[in-house]
Amino acid sequence: HLDYYGCIALVDIFQFSNVYEAQARVKDVMRNGWLQRECHAYVTRDGQAGTVSLERLIQLYATVRQRRTVAEWIVDNCIDVERFDVRRFIVFGVLHGMLRRVHCFPVLCASVESAKKEPSRKGSNSGSGSGDEEPLKLEPRVVAMLDGTHHLDEICVAENKDAAVMRGLLDSYGGIEYVHL
């Protein structure tokens, strides 16, 4: 009921591996004095007013690009996480329509049979010399979710696995392409 009446807003869980992209509403923060003050107060740590300039905040919103994780964005922009709350910066941007979460959709492109053969060929040529490595097998329910209609977060929750672990498993399986939307 709280969501229906606009009393709360639901956003995706914050992770440094998430990807976001700037939206056209980033321009709103340049024109709206109230939004500027709210943004600055929300994202600076402990109300340290002089730590991050308003111009820098606007510049940072404009630099959020698709295909760059939050962790990569922090490094690219030399963010001082001691003075700047990245989580709050992202949440503020999402809540005010300045940022949008980009989801990753794994899609099985090759046939299941050829995808199962791929890891065994890689394994036998990896230089281990054993040649008896078994190809990775995914549960049928996971393979069924690789149709492009389930994003990686959904698959991770269904399998109770971390995104990095799940992506590693999918990459090892072979024949997977990732669509970012």
Side-chain angles (χ1 to χ4, degrees):
H1 293 330
L2 293 174
D3 186 35
Y4 178 79
Y5 289 108
C7 298
I8 62 169
L10 300 175
V11 296
D12 289 337
I13 189 168
F14 176 82
Q15 298 179 79
F16 288 99
S17 60
N18 287 355
V19 176
Y20 295 87
E21 69 179 357
Q23 300 293 290
R25 293 199 61 191
V26 168
K27 293 182 280 186
D28 292 351
V29 78
M30 292 187 283
R31 291 180 262 200
N32 186 327
W34 174 85
L35 191 59
Q36 293 171 1
R37 288 186 297 279
E38 287 295 310
C39 178
H40 194 265
Y42 190 71
V43 303
T44 54
R45 292 201 183 266
D46 302 324
Q48 299 174 359
T51 57
V52 180
S53 71
L54 182 58
E55 293 78 20
R56 177 77 170 139
L57 286 177
I58 294 168
Q59 176 192 25
L60 288 173
Y61 275 119
T63 63
V64 177
R65 301 268 189 264
Q66 189 173 347
R67 301 253 183 183
R68 303 294 294 164
T69 66
V70 173
E72 293 167 337
W73 174 82
I74 289 170
V75 172
D76 291 349
N77 290 283
C78 303
I79 304 292
D80 181 1
V81 294
E82 296 296 320
R83 300 185 311 165
F84 184 79
D85 192 330
V86 175
R87 180 188 57 83
R88 293 181 127 223
F89 174 82
I90 296 294
V91 168
F92 188 89
V94 170
L95 289 174
H96 289 87
M98 297 182 291
L99 297 178
R100 182 185 72 82
R101 169 88 189 275
V102 177
H103 290 281
C104 174
F105 293 83
V107 179
L108 180 61
C109 294
S111 70
V112 174
E113 291 76 28
S114 66
K116 285 181 181 177
K117 292 177 186 174
E118 186 69 24
S120 65
R121 279 187 271 144
K122 287 181 184 175
S124 64
N125 294 332
S126 65
S128 65
S130 66
D132 58 354
E133 295 177 25
E134 294 209 14
L136 177 69
K137 294 180 183 169
L138 290 176
E139 295 290 328
R141 68 178 177 268
V142 175
V143 174
M145 294 179 84
L146 302 177
D147 61 357
T149 62
H150 304 276
H151 57 74
L152 188 59
D153 291 350
E154 181 181 353
I155 297 170
C156 289
V157 169
E159 292 303 304
N160 195 26
K161 294 197 182 330
D162 178 79
V165 170
M166 181 55 71
R167 194 155 185 157
L169 288 172
L170 294 174
D171 290 343
S172 297
Y173 187 74
I176 307 291
E177 294 291 330
Y178 297 98
V179 177
H180 298 272
L181 299 172

